[in-house]
Amino acid sequence: MNIVTALPRYSDGEINRALIKEIQTGFQLERETERAREMQAAAEAQAYKGHKTIQGLGKCVGVIPSREFFRLTAKYGRDEIHSKGFMHYFQKKFPNLSPNRI
Protein backbone atom coordinates (compact mmCIF):
# COMPACT_ATOMS: atom_id res chain seq x y z
CA MET A 1 0.00 0.00 0.00
CA ASN A 2 1.36 3.42 -1.01
CA ILE A 3 0.43 6.35 1.18
CA VAL A 4 0.76 9.74 -0.48
CA THR A 5 1.93 12.26 2.06
CA ALA A 6 3.19 15.06 -0.18
CA LEU A 7 0.15 16.66 -1.80
CA PRO A 8 0.62 19.74 -3.98
CA ARG A 9 -0.16 23.00 -2.20
CA TYR A 10 -2.13 25.72 -3.92
CA SER A 11 -2.42 29.32 -2.85
CA ASP A 12 -5.77 30.91 -2.09
CA GLY A 13 -5.45 33.07 -5.21
CA GLU A 14 -5.01 30.04 -7.47
CA ILE A 15 -8.00 28.30 -5.92
CA ASN A 16 -10.15 31.43 -6.25
CA ARG A 17 -9.18 31.93 -9.92
CA ALA A 18 -9.91 28.28 -10.71
CA LEU A 19 -13.29 28.50 -8.96
CA ILE A 20 -14.27 31.71 -10.76
CA LYS A 21 -13.24 30.22 -14.11
CA GLU A 22 -15.29 27.08 -13.42
CA ILE A 23 -18.36 29.14 -12.49
CA GLN A 24 -18.10 31.35 -15.58
CA THR A 25 -17.66 28.44 -18.01
CA GLY A 26 -20.38 26.48 -16.19
CA PHE A 27 -22.91 29.30 -16.69
CA GLN A 28 -21.98 29.59 -20.36
CA LEU A 29 -22.33 25.82 -20.84
CA GLU A 30 -25.70 25.87 -19.06
CA ARG A 31 -26.97 28.68 -21.34
CA GLU A 32 -25.85 26.78 -24.45
CA THR A 33 -27.45 23.56 -23.22
CA GLU A 34 -30.72 25.35 -22.40
CA ARG A 35 -30.74 26.97 -25.86
CA ALA A 36 -30.28 23.53 -27.46
CA ARG A 37 -33.11 22.08 -25.35
CA GLU A 38 -35.41 24.95 -26.32
CA MET A 39 -34.60 24.49 -30.03
CA GLN A 40 -35.39 20.77 -29.71
CA ALA A 41 -38.70 21.58 -27.98
CA ALA A 42 -39.57 24.11 -30.71
CA ALA A 43 -38.93 21.46 -33.38
CA GLU A 44 -41.15 19.05 -31.47
CA ALA A 45 -43.87 21.71 -31.20
CA GLN A 46 -43.76 22.24 -34.98
CA ALA A 47 -44.48 18.51 -35.43
CA TYR A 48 -47.66 18.89 -33.33
CA LYS A 49 -48.86 22.04 -35.11
CA GLY A 50 -52.36 21.91 -36.51
CA HIS A 51 -55.07 19.63 -35.22
CA LYS A 52 -52.96 16.54 -34.60
CA THR A 53 -54.04 14.73 -31.42
CA ILE A 54 -52.03 12.38 -29.23
CA GLN A 55 -53.70 9.07 -28.37
CA GLY A 56 -55.03 9.26 -24.80
CA LEU A 57 -53.78 12.81 -24.16
CA GLY A 58 -55.62 14.98 -26.68
CA LYS A 59 -54.30 18.03 -28.50
CA CYS A 60 -50.81 19.31 -27.65
CA VAL A 61 -51.02 22.91 -26.39
CA GLY A 62 -47.44 23.41 -25.19
CA VAL A 63 -44.02 21.82 -25.21
CA ILE A 64 -41.71 22.59 -22.27
CA PRO A 65 -38.12 21.30 -22.02
CA SER A 66 -38.01 18.65 -19.28
CA ARG A 67 -35.51 20.44 -17.04
CA GLU A 68 -37.58 23.63 -17.12
CA PHE A 69 -40.80 21.67 -16.44
CA PHE A 70 -39.37 19.99 -13.34
CA ARG A 71 -37.92 23.29 -12.09
CA LEU A 72 -41.31 25.02 -12.48
CA THR A 73 -43.13 22.09 -10.88
CA ALA A 74 -40.82 22.20 -7.86
CA LYS A 75 -41.23 25.96 -7.54
CA TYR A 76 -45.00 26.39 -8.14
CA GLY A 77 -46.50 22.91 -7.77
CA ARG A 78 -48.04 20.50 -10.26
CA ASP A 79 -51.56 21.96 -10.07
CA GLU A 80 -50.38 25.46 -10.99
CA ILE A 81 -48.31 24.24 -13.96
CA HIS A 82 -51.30 22.34 -15.35
CA SER A 83 -53.81 25.17 -14.83
CA LYS A 84 -55.43 27.05 -17.71
CA GLY A 85 -54.08 30.36 -16.43
CA PHE A 86 -50.50 29.12 -16.66
CA MET A 87 -51.09 27.70 -20.13
CA HIS A 88 -52.51 31.03 -21.34
CA TYR A 89 -49.43 32.79 -19.95
CA PHE A 90 -47.11 30.18 -21.49
CA GLN A 91 -48.75 30.46 -24.92
CA LYS A 92 -48.45 34.25 -24.82
CA LYS A 93 -44.83 34.22 -23.60
CA PHE A 94 -43.55 31.33 -25.77
CA PRO A 95 -45.55 31.16 -29.02
CA ASN A 96 -42.83 29.06 -30.67
CA LEU A 97 -43.40 26.32 -28.04
CA SER A 98 -47.21 26.45 -28.30
CA PRO A 99 -48.38 24.49 -31.35
CA ASN A 100 -52.16 24.76 -30.67
CA ARG A 101 -54.34 27.19 -28.72
CA ILE A 102 -56.46 26.18 -25.76
Side-chain angles (χ1 to χ4, degrees):
M1 174 188 307
N2 294 335
I3 299 176
V4 178
T5 57
L7 296 174
R9 300 279 179 191
Y10 297 103
S11 69
D12 288 341
E14 289 174 314
I15 293 172
N16 289 344
R17 282 190 296 277
L19 183 61
I20 289 169
K21 182 180 177 187
E22 181 64 31
I23 290 171
Q24 288 173 342
T25 57
F27 283 143
Q28 181 182 3
L29 179 63
E30 182 63 30
R31 277 190 228 107
E32 291 171 5
T33 304
E34 184 62 31
R35 195 173 310 125
R37 286 185 188 126
E38 190 172 326
M39 287 173 55
Q40 181 182 4
E44 190 176 326
Q46 283 293 350
Y48 291 124
K49 201 160 204 119
H51 298 289
K52 186 176 182 181
T53 60
I54 302 168
Q55 183 76 21
L57 296 175
K59 189 169 57 166
C60 179
V61 293
V63 179
I64 301 175
S66 59
R67 185 177 182 133
E68 184 69 13
F69 174 77
F70 290 119
R71 187 186 70 77
L72 289 172
T73 303
K75 186 173 184 179
Y76 298 111
R78 188 169 184 84
D79 292 336
E80 180 62 31
I81 300 302
H82 290 242
S83 70
K84 275 192 173 187
F86 175 78
M87 288 312 301
H88 285 297
Y89 164 77
F90 182 80
Q91 288 180 341
K92 205 181 301 180
K93 183 85 172 163
F94 303 103
N96 62 328
L97 299 178
S98 304
N100 301 304
R101 292 284 173 199
I102 292 180

